[in-house]
Amino acid sequence: MGDLFIWILSFFILIALIVLLVFQLMCLADLEFDYINPYDSSSRINSVVLPEFVVQGILCLFYLLTGHWIMALISAPYLYYNVRLYTQRQHLVDVTEIFNLLHREKKRRLFKLAYLVVLLFFDIFWMIWSAIEDDDD
C-alpha cells in the first residue's frame, strides 16, 4: 500500500511540473500573438523557472530515496539538462532577446513537456501496477 501512495504523490508532482510548463508555453504564445508585452511575459516565465527546477530536483531525489531506480534514471537526463541550463545561466528569458529566441524557447519547453508526459505515463503504469499488486495480496 505504501508503494501506491508513493506513485500517487509522484503523479501529483508530475502534474505540477506539467502545469508550470504549460503556463510558460501560454506566456510565450501570448507574446507571439501580441496579447502581452515582452517585459510581462519574461517576468512571468522567469518567476516559475526556478520553482520548476527545484520541483524536478525534488522528484528525482524522491525517486532515489524511495528506491525507484528506473524512474530516477529516466528522470535524470531532464534534471541534468536543467542543471546545465542553470550553471550556464541560460535558464532565464531575457526581455531584450525574447522575440529573437521565441521559437527556440517554445521548442525547448515543448520538448520538456513531451518528456514529462512520457514520465507521467510511466508513473501511471507503475501506479496501476502497484494497485493491482496490492489487491492480489
Side-chain angles (χ1 to χ4, degrees):
M1 192 70 170
D3 232 16
L4 182 62
F5 289 123
I6 289 170
W7 291 117
I8 290 172
L9 183 62
S10 169
F11 174 79
F12 285 120
I13 292 172
L14 282 168
I15 293 295
L17 281 170
I18 289 172
V19 166
L20 288 173
L21 278 172
V22 168
F23 175 74
Q24 292 175 30
L25 282 169
M26 285 182 3
C27 288
L28 289 171
D30 286 348
L31 179 66
E32 185 178 20
F33 294 113
D34 208 22
Y35 295 135
I36 192 171
N37 63 36
Y39 177 78
D40 288 338
S41 179
S42 62
S43 65
R44 288 179 185 177
I45 291 170
N46 290 341
S47 68
V48 297
V49 167
L50 284 180
E52 173 201 345
F53 287 6
V54 169
V55 170
Q56 174 59 28
I58 289 171
L59 180 67
C60 196
L61 183 67
F62 179 72
Y63 286 143
L64 284 174
L65 293 177
T66 57
H68 296 100
W69 310 113
I70 294 174
M71 287 299 285
L73 286 174
I74 292 172
S75 64
Y78 183 71
L79 181 65
Y80 170 74
Y81 180 72
N82 285 343
V83 168
R84 190 177 61 88
L85 281 178
Y86 184 78
T87 56
Q88 293 177 352
R89 298 178 190 259
Q90 295 178 352
H91 61 290
L92 297 178
V93 178
D94 186 18
V95 178
T96 59
E97 291 291 322
I98 193 165
F99 279 116
N100 297 335
L101 304 175
L102 186 63
H103 293 292
R104 187 184 77 165
E105 294 292 332
K106 282 176 60 177
K107 284 181 186 177
R108 178 185 291 177
R109 279 156 179 84
L110 283 172
F111 177 73
K112 285 182 174 185
L113 185 64
Y115 198 84
L116 286 176
V117 167
V118 169
L119 277 176
L120 185 69
F121 284 135
F122 281 129
D123 188 80
I124 291 171
F125 170 78
W126 286 115
M127 186 178 3
I128 292 170
W129 185 275
S130 296
I132 291 172
E133 192 174 78
D134 284 344
D135 195 37
D136 289 341
D137 293 339

